[in-house]
Amino acid sequence: MHSLAQQQLSHMWLRAWFAIVTLTLAGVVVYLQVGLSNHYLDRLVRFEQQISAPIVVVSTSGTLLDLQPMTPEVEARVRASSVVEAFEVRSRSMVDLAAGPTGYPLAALAVDVTGPGLSAPRALSQASRQLLVTPGHVLLTDKDAEMTGFRLGDSFVVAGHRLQIVGRIKGGFGRNGSLVSQQTRDLLVPAIPRTEPLKPRIILVRGQKGQLLSETLGRLNQVLHLFGAQAMSREDYVRGLVQEGIEQNQDVRAYLYLATAVGLIALLIIAQSVQSMIAGQRSELATLVAIGVTRWRIGLIVLEQALWLGLIAAALAIPTALVGQMVLERFDVPIALHLAQILPISGIILVTAVLAGLVAIPSVLTLKPVQLLR
Amino acid sequence: MRTETGLHAIGLSKWFGREPNAVRALDDVTLEIAPASFVIVLGASGSGKSCLLAAMSGLQRPDRGEVHFQGRDIWARGNQSAAAFRRDACGFVFQSPGLFPSLTAWQQIYVPLRQLGVDRQVARLRATEALDHVGLSAREGALPTQLSGGQNQRVAIARMLAKQPAILFCDEPTSALDTDNARLIGELFQHVVRQRGATIVCATHDERLIPFCDRVITLQAGSLIHDQLQDPA
Ligand SMILES: Nc1ncnc2c1ncn2[C@@H]1O[C@H](COP(=O)(O)OP(=O)(O)O)[C@@H](O)[C@H]1O
Ligand SMILES: [Mg+2]
């Protein structure tokens, strides 16, 4: 047998569907908003969130999006630190290769695949890593293949060196996400004579094995703070970048406000529908109060009804958002929906429904069975 | 005199509004209701029947007076003790059956029992038995819209019988029903009192129920003006 809440909902299907459709549409707006923001933020942190190094050292002045160079002392301290197992100073990381058959230029990211491999993407398989070790080898992303027209096996000459596309990579890397090794980069980019060594903007660090991340960070920061630098976890670094990205990008902010506004309006409408659904069952629920059913149990019936609205809406919002994404893509609106975000957004829809149920709770508390008397 | 098992109302008063325009809905009503009796509270509209029922059943606190059940004042700790009294000892039948439109006749009985924390298996048995008691076993799968007013009222009564209350409080239970249905319900009440030893307190202006009861109490303007025992048919 279905629960009382379920049966009452199916009985009041018109009101229930109104609430469900509103909630579903609100959910879809949130999905698309997140998808739009993702598109921007993904580009922003695509490489940073993939690096193998668990720790990042940056300057304390400036922002993460606009890193200030650090003094050479910082590198010296990192080198001397007993808590550091390996580190890598990342300076220029992009290297221009050649224009492809379509005329679009191919640029690649130079990563360390031989040493500690701190700048190499974590997702890079051992086999791909091995492929890159040979100087001149290039791994091509699907997006770059599409843009440039290069294909597996193609080779071309850059600054007198022969380069060859030896593999394809997937997963998170899009445009300009193709990879070469640092050795290849060093071949192509002639050393520029300097009077002063290049000041690092970012140092990738791996702590000693068997040491807690928080401990390594703590020990490093004790020293680094004296030199205007700080160590943070890769996750905090990426989170910081995303945070700054949201703050600095007006579109992303606008989407965020829009989604919040839509969510609040949806909450009001749903709360209203749940209220009216409860109003329609007042005398039935009051009869239960009369015979001594506790009010919190009746509150649970109300919350269960709201929860079911939320569950159905959350389930409907996923395919609807995917259809919305397809439609928007036809109009060249870039949307990037991530599987990992489906659960939290479904959660938001559920929470909205439950909040609407909570709004209806006071009307349960004011149920007066004495009003059933004539 | 106070019996341990009966229901005893002492000096109940209830008024609405302020002097000098206050309405005395109940004016110092004292009465005792013996166990296993069917008592009808009669009176014109506005005479205070419902207020008396509300005070004695723990639904609305009187302004003055006490209501004793099994030696305790049900209003001793206000709504809290009254709710406990209603949960442990009372059933209610109102003029409107108050049935959930989405539930079948059988579920109308089963669901509240479960809400009261009755074990699943026990609730099943009691629902089936109560529906049988009111002669509606054949309609156990019917929704309220598929039953007549009288049948729905019998489902509402069965819902309360399944709770096995010591006292069943009824307010105008037959006022919306035709004579045949009113008689059916009168017989049912009589049967419940005889077979189960339950007490029924029924506020009504419907004189068709009188032949089935043991005692008629008459209210006028909030005062008890008549109290008569009688031999039921
Ligand atoms: N909530 C209320 N507010 C004001 N007056 C009320 C209220 N409830 C009952 N009364 C008054 O109390 C008197 C008795 O009411 P009630 O017990 O409902 O009468 P009966 O049930 O006999 O028709 C009536 O005059 C009615 O108008
Ligand atoms: Mg009345």
Side-chain angles (χ1 to χ4, degrees):
Chain A
M1 188 189 130
H2 298 293
S3 74
L4 175 60
Q6 282 169 298
Q7 303 218 159
Q8 284 293 97
L9 267 189
S10 60
H11 179 75
M12 297 176 289
W13 60 271
L14 195 66
R15 264 184 276 203
W17 275 111
F18 178 71
I20 289 170
V21 168
T22 312
L23 200 50
T24 304
L25 290 179
V28 169
V29 170
V30 173
Y31 271 115
L32 296 182
Q33 176 273 326
V34 168
L36 280 164
S37 310
N38 282 345
H39 175 76
Y40 168 75
L41 296 173
D42 285 354
R43 275 189 312 172
L44 198 67
V45 298
R46 186 184 296 150
F47 305 117
E48 334 302 290
Q49 68 187 355
Q50 282 286 343
I51 50 173
S52 297
I55 295 173
V56 172
V57 174
V58 294
S59 163
T60 44
S61 62
T63 64
L64 294 178
L65 277 178
D66 182 24
L67 283 170
Q68 298 298 305
M70 294 178 287
T71 57
E73 278 90 346
V74 176
E75 186 184 335
R77 299 295 151 172
V78 170
R79 187 187 303 278
S81 172
S82 65
V83 293
V84 172
E85 186 202 272
F87 74 96
E88 179 184 331
V89 177
R90 203 174 72 172
S91 40
R92 231 185 107 185
S93 53
M94 289 301 294
V95 53
D96 294 324
L97 299 180
T102 62
Y104 193 89
L106 177 65
L109 197 68
V111 293
D112 173 22
V113 285
T114 49
L118 293 178
S119 58
R122 272 168 295 148
L124 203 62
S125 68
Q126 203 51 47
S128 302
R129 219 172 266 244
Q130 216 50 50
L131 273 177
L132 272 188
V133 171
T134 312
H137 278 183
V138 179
L139 292 180
L140 193 68
T141 68
D142 292 343
K143 192 74 186 172
D144 279 345
E146 185 191 314
M147 302 293 293
T148 61
F150 277 129
R151 290 197 312 216
L152 193 64
D154 284 355
S155 67
F156 45 91
V157 174
V158 182
H161 297 275
R162 174 156 295 276
L163 270 71
Q164 190 179 14
I165 314 268
V166 294
R168 297 281 291 263
I169 44 172
K170 290 190 165 59
F173 304 100
R175 190 180 300 179
N176 294 345
S178 297
L179 301 178
V180 294
S181 69
Q182 286 181 344
Q183 284 69 20
T184 306
R185 193 263 323 269
D186 293 343
L187 281 179
L188 304 179
V189 183
I192 304 164
R194 289 173 207 286
T195 50
E196 227 177 290
L198 195 66
K199 286 180 180 171
R201 286 174 195 269
I202 182 167
I203 302 178
L204 306 178
V205 172
R206 186 164 66 215
Q208 298 288 2
K209 280 211 175 57
Q211 190 169 246
L212 283 178
L213 182 66
S214 55
E215 202 179 312
T216 315
L217 286 173
R219 295 273 296 278
L220 268 175
N221 277 330
Q222 274 176 7
V223 182
L224 295 182
H225 273 302
L226 305 174
F227 299 93
Q230 61 176 332
M232 57 174 82
S233 71
R234 173 184 61 223
E235 283 69 28
D236 283 346
Y237 175 59
V238 169
R239 241 193 304 277
L241 279 174
V242 167
Q243 194 58 43
E244 285 180 13
I246 291 174
E247 279 162 17
Q248 290 194 7
N249 189 291
Q250 290 194 354
D251 290 348
V252 170
R253 270 213 322 267
Y255 301 148
L256 210 65
Y257 294 148
L258 179 71
T260 312
V262 168
L264 285 178
I265 292 169
L267 176 61
L268 287 179
I269 296 178
I270 315 297
Q272 187 56 43
S273 336
V274 173
Q275 285 267 28
S276 86
M277 276 162 46
I278 300 310
Q281 320 168 43
R282 265 188 94 80
S283 65
E284 290 89 335
L285 295 176
T287 309
L288 294 184
V289 176
I291 59 172
V293 175
T294 51
R295 283 175 199 270
W296 67 264
R297 265 187 180 272
I298 297 190
L300 283 186
I301 296 173
V302 172
L303 283 185
E304 197 195 325
Q305 294 187 12
L307 193 67
W308 278 111
L309 295 181
L311 277 174
I312 297 172
L316 287 178
I318 297 169
T320 317
L322 291 177
V323 170
Q325 176 183 13
M326 274 160 52
V327 171
L328 286 176
E329 273 171 354
R330 291 207 156 204
F331 293 99
D332 281 336
V333 181
I335 300 236
L337 283 179
H338 298 326
L339 280 180
Q341 287 166 335
I342 288 181
L343 210 60
I345 295 179
S346 301
I348 291 175
I349 296 176
L350 271 186
V351 167
T352 307
V354 171
L355 279 179
L358 284 176
V359 171
I361 292 287
S363 72
V364 170
L365 299 180
T366 59
L367 281 175
K368 289 218 175 66
V370 68
Q371 287 166 354
L372 296 169
L373 298 177
R374 281 288 117 82
Chain B
M1 191 190 78
R2 182 183 299 173
T3 54
E4 280 303 297
T5 50
L7 188 65
H8 199 173
I10 309 155
L12 292 182
S13 292
K14 177 86 191 168
W15 49 86
F16 295 99
R18 287 168 185 231
E19 298 292 351
N21 301 322
V23 176
R24 287 209 162 245
L26 280 183
D27 193 2
D28 196 22
V29 174
T30 295
L31 90 137
E32 188 177 358
I33 289 169
S37 59
F38 178 5
V39 180
I40 283 183
V41 181
L42 213 59
S45 186
S47 57
K49 305 183 294 294
S50 296
C51 282
L52 178 62
L53 202 73
M56 291 179 66
S57 64
L59 283 178
Q60 188 176 50
R61 192 171 196 162
D63 293 318
R64 254 197 219 138
E66 293 177 0
V67 178
H68 288 261
F69 178 70
Q70 297 184 339
R72 291 216 199 111
D73 182 5
I74 65 163
W75 289 107
R77 282 178 299 119
N79 278 325
Q80 207 184 344
S81 52
F85 166 65
R86 297 200 311 264
R87 184 193 64 223
D88 297 338
C90 301
F92 291 90
V93 177
F94 305 107
Q95 181 172 347
S96 150
L99 300 175
F100 285 94
S102 63
L103 300 187
T104 65
W106 186 85
Q107 291 168 344
Q108 305 282 0
I109 308 167
Y110 174 82
V111 167
L113 287 180
R114 294 289 295 145
Q115 291 294 330
L116 285 166
V118 175
D119 174 76
R120 196 183 296 264
Q121 212 55 41
V122 176
R124 281 215 184 97
L125 282 175
R126 285 211 218 159
T128 306
E129 189 237 14
L131 211 52
D132 188 40
H133 195 150
V134 300
L136 286 172
S137 292
R139 308 304 310 277
E140 65 169 33
L143 294 172
T145 47
Q146 296 162 337
L147 296 175
S148 72
Q151 287 173 324
N152 276 329
Q153 193 60 300
R154 273 148 65 199
V155 173
I157 293 169
R159 170 171 68 179
M160 295 302 159
L161 295 183
K163 196 185 167 251
Q164 304 181 337
I167 312 165
L168 185 60
F169 292 98
C170 311
D171 188 59
E172 310 283 5
T174 52
S175 300
L177 302 181
D178 60 37
T179 302
D180 282 348
N181 275 307
R183 205 194 63 239
L184 217 54
I185 283 174
E187 284 170 359
L188 184 57
F189 282 167
Q190 199 174 39
H191 192 251
V192 167
V193 171
R194 300 263 168 82
Q195 298 290 308
R196 303 194 169 211
T199 302
I200 294 183
V201 182
C202 178
T204 188
H205 66 268
D206 185 357
E207 305 201 344
R208 295 173 298 187
L209 282 177
I210 292 178
F212 303 98
C213 77
D214 305 307
R215 180 181 173 194
V216 179
I217 289 163
T218 310
L219 287 184
Q220 190 177 56
S223 295
L224 205 162
I225 56 160
H226 206 68
D227 187 347
Q228 186 178 13
L229 291 178
Q230 65 164 38
D231 283 330

